[in-house]
Amino acid sequence: MERGTALKTGSIEFWDHFAKWYRLWVEHTSYHKKIIEALKGMISRGWKVLDVGAGNGVLSIPIHQWGCEVVALEPSIGMRNLLREEMLKRKAWGLRIDPRLWENASPEDFIDFDLVIACNTLHLTKMAFQKALEKVFQTRTKHVFLVYEIDS
């Protein structure tokens, strides 16, 4: 990246560049612990789960280790590399990585999944939050777990 070139927040290029900082942030915060606790209370072994914008797998990996079939949708190469590193470190064999953008994924590919997770991701799509959320429901998922940061 050239000096002075700004990256659009939420773009794939942003996440490719930001991945190394994201790793440090996750290592030094407990942001996801309450989310993981809430998910653990609602998920059953054997569920089919889609994690939209899975990042480094902070949610996907524990869910997979609870005995669920997980598809981690993550379009950023930088974040997918972090996810693969975490999978190796935590021996999360069998977690499936899908490199597509949510915009390019077909709801039919995830028909009748038990759960779709979108943790701070749908508002970053090019299709806008409402259309991205509508697409989640087009999968006919049984459950949706949505985390969204609201501007203060």
Side-chain angles (χ1 to χ4, degrees):
M1 183 173 79
E2 291 183 29
R3 187 176 181 95
T5 303
L7 293 173
K8 184 178 181 298
T9 303
S11 69
I12 293 174
E13 295 79 17
F14 171 85
W15 288 107
D16 287 344
H17 179 76
F18 188 70
K20 62 185 173 188
W21 303 111
Y22 182 84
R23 176 201 324 244
L24 289 172
W25 177 75
V26 168
E27 289 172 355
H28 292 91
T29 65
S30 58
Y31 175 79
H32 295 92
K33 287 184 180 180
K34 288 188 179 195
I35 296 170
I36 291 168
E37 288 173 22
L39 286 167
K40 193 170 192 173
M42 72 178 283
I43 293 176
S44 295
R45 183 175 193 78
W47 275 18
K48 291 172 66 175
V49 179
L50 172 65
D51 186 359
V52 178
N56 71 334
V58 72
L59 302 178
S60 295
I61 292 172
I63 293 168
H64 175 71
Q65 291 175 328
W66 300 335
C68 294
E69 179 185 329
V70 177
V71 175
L73 193 73
E74 180 50 63
S76 162
I77 292 169
M79 297 304 282
R80 284 195 312 266
N81 287 338
L82 290 181
L83 174 55
R84 286 185 187 100
E85 288 174 22
E86 286 297 313
M87 288 169 64
L88 284 171
K89 185 167 50 174
R90 297 173 64 182
K91 298 180 172 98
W93 319 125
L95 190 152
R96 194 174 100 206
I97 301 173
D98 186 326
R100 292 179 290 174
L101 287 163
W102 183 233
E103 295 93 311
N104 298 337
S106 171
E108 288 80 25
D109 294 342
F110 310 106
I111 286 292
D112 295 327
F113 267 48
D114 296 288
L115 173 65
V116 174
I117 298 170
C119 183
N120 289 317
T121 57
L122 295 183
H123 64 287
L124 298 175
T125 64
K126 292 176 185 170
M127 62 192 316
F129 178 79
Q130 184 173 341
K131 288 192 183 293
L133 185 59
E134 288 171 6
K135 192 170 184 175
V136 167
F137 288 105
Q138 289 171 4
T139 67
R140 297 194 322 240
T141 185
K142 295 170 185 72
H143 306 276
V144 173
F145 190 91
L146 178 65
V147 176
Y148 184 83
E149 291 178 349
I150 299 173
D151 292 335
S152 56

